[in-house]
Amino acid sequence: MPGCGGDVAAGVALVVIAAAYGGPEVLSIVDEPVSGPGPGEARIAVRAAGVNPVDVKSYSGAFGADPARLPIRLGAEAAGVVTAVGPDTVGPAGPVSVGDEVIAYRAPGAYAAELVVPAQAVVPKPGTLDWPQAAGLMLTGVTAWHLLAATDVGPGDTVLVHGGSGGVGLMAVQLAVIRGARVVATASPARHELLKDLGAIPVAYGPGLADRAAVAAPGGVDVALDLVGTDEAWDVSMALVSDKARIATIVAFGRGLKAGIKVLGGAPGADPGTEIRERARLELARLAQDGKLRVLVSQTFPLAEAAAAHHAILDGHTTGKITLIP
Ligand SMILES: NC(=O)c1ccc[n+]([C@@H]2O[C@H](COP(=O)([O-])OP(=O)(O)OC[C@H]3O[C@@H](n4cnc5c(N)ncnc54)[C@H](OP(=O)(O)O)[C@@H]3O)[C@@H](O)[C@H]2O)c1
């Protein structure tokens, strides 16, 4: 078949599922069939999968608890090697071929040893990143890209990032610096040196944040990005930024929509930014390839220990990314 390659036979692969709604104890690892790739699809041997808070929310009940959705496959992003392709397999960067080292995003069910995804989800893996870093680049990267695009961050702006040391936060900090902005980022003191290394002015969150942020930004704050959804982040953003169109949240959906700030993501009424996020993937890969964008992975876990990875992310103090290794 023209354009096909590799072993396209169906098989089975280990995948992580939530068999019920609840905490990480409902996760298990099971064999599931993997189809041969159809037209426009690629099969990938996964080397690492990114872990994100939304993965936990998918089975915690945060998005409802419809029994018809069970069992739920987990994950959204992975990096690996293409093992088979169907016909007409062209991705955003060109043809996808067997043996390519790639990042797959969006890749539903990415907590897996093998995965079939549309070629449109596949971009070349930057050679500068190892597998866990590559697996952790995209979800947080496109979200941060969308935040900065939606609030129109550019040279001369001062940006306050709430939650600057998390997965999205470290991306937002670096991308805002690349855009020429001055960046003030909140984090616990143990992460302040890291934020300084990335070009931000760190401030501790907690009581007195508005005063500390004002001292760090004597010329005022033009843009606030809420990546944590706390009352504090909300109050300080509202107090320091006069133009509501330059306050964005990816967490506080309900009150963000009521207040008329930018509300970004997949929730009802929010701006999903689909095209912006899709286009951002190649830009993010290029910046990583050029050594201008770092992916900080703080912990890796074997795929079979996805529950432990979820306990770690539920702790709420992840620095950068957690990834799973099949
Ligand atoms: N809407 C969307 O499109 C979208 C996309 C991606 C993520 N999200 C959501 O955005 C949130 C962040 O995602 P993520 O991947 O960055 O999570 P993450 O990596 O788990 O973020 C953890 C960070 O939050 C910081 N933090 C904890 N408590 C804080 C507080 N009270 N004030 C300020 N910072 C605090 C921690 O800082 P310290 O360790 O320094 O304490 C840690 O660095 C999650 O709720 C996620 O579901 C939404």
Side-chain angles (χ1 to χ4, degrees):
M1 202 185 309
C4 294
D7 171 14
V8 294
V12 293
L14 288 169
V15 305
V16 175
I17 59 162
Y21 290 97
E25 69 282 353
V26 304
L27 300 185
S28 55
I29 186 160
V30 297
D31 269 327
E32 279 208 354
V34 189
S35 58
E41 291 181 334
R43 192 163 73 198
I44 294 167
V46 176
R47 297 284 190 258
V51 174
N52 292 283
V54 70
D55 303 338
V56 180
K57 293 175 188 174
S58 72
Y59 65 86
S60 71
F63 301 148
D66 179 0
R69 289 183 55 238
L70 297 171
I72 299 168
R73 287 269 307 262
L74 299 185
E77 58 181 345
V81 179
V82 175
T83 55
V85 293
D88 305 323
T89 317
V90 178
V96 177
S97 305
V98 171
D100 287 355
E101 297 192 345
V102 298
I103 296 174
Y105 177 74
R106 292 178 166 259
Y111 288 15
E114 284 193 75
L115 194 59
V116 174
V117 292
Q120 278 302 319
V122 170
V123 301
K125 168 185 164 296
T128 47
L129 301 184
D130 63 21
W131 291 114
Q133 290 168 330
L137 170 64
M138 286 299 171
L139 191 148
T140 54
V142 302
T143 305
W145 192 282
H146 188 197
L147 281 157
L148 299 172
T151 51
D152 196 23
V153 170
D157 282 329
T158 296
V159 181
L160 174 61
V161 179
H162 295 282
S165 59
V168 180
L170 289 176
M171 286 289 161
V173 164
Q174 294 179 85
L175 293 171
V177 169
I178 288 169
R179 282 177 175 242
R182 177 186 173 93
V183 181
V184 177
T186 74
S188 51
R191 278 72 171 179
H192 285 195
E193 282 307 312
L194 170 63
L195 287 168
K196 278 188 209 166
D197 283 352
L198 296 175
I201 303 164
V203 290
Y205 55 80
L209 172 60
D211 294 339
R212 287 189 296 281
V215 169
V221 175
D222 304 294
V223 173
L225 306 178
D226 167 29
L227 319 181
V228 292
T230 57
D231 288 346
E232 175 185 78
W234 182 269
D235 293 343
V236 171
S237 299
M238 291 296 175
L240 298 184
V241 179
S242 52
D243 181 356
K244 280 188 182 170
R246 304 197 82 194
I247 303 175
T249 185
I250 57 170
V251 185
F253 296 111
R255 78 170 163 183
L257 288 167
K258 273 191 211 138
I261 65 167
K262 296 279 168 67
V263 181
L264 312 179
D271 169 13
T274 310
E275 279 181 27
I276 291 174
R277 293 184 185 216
E278 282 188 3
R279 277 201 309 272
R281 293 173 304 168
L282 289 180
E283 300 288 343
L284 293 163
R286 183 179 53 77
L287 288 168
Q289 180 65 49
D290 292 347
K292 293 179 179 158
L293 186 64
R294 289 167 62 190
V295 184
L296 288 110
V297 176
S298 56
Q299 279 176 287
T300 59
F301 292 83
L303 185 64
E305 292 175 22
H310 281 199
H311 280 298
I313 207 156
L314 279 167
D315 174 53
H317 298 284
T318 306
T319 304
K321 294 294 299 185
I322 292 173
T323 60
L324 297 173
I325 311 294

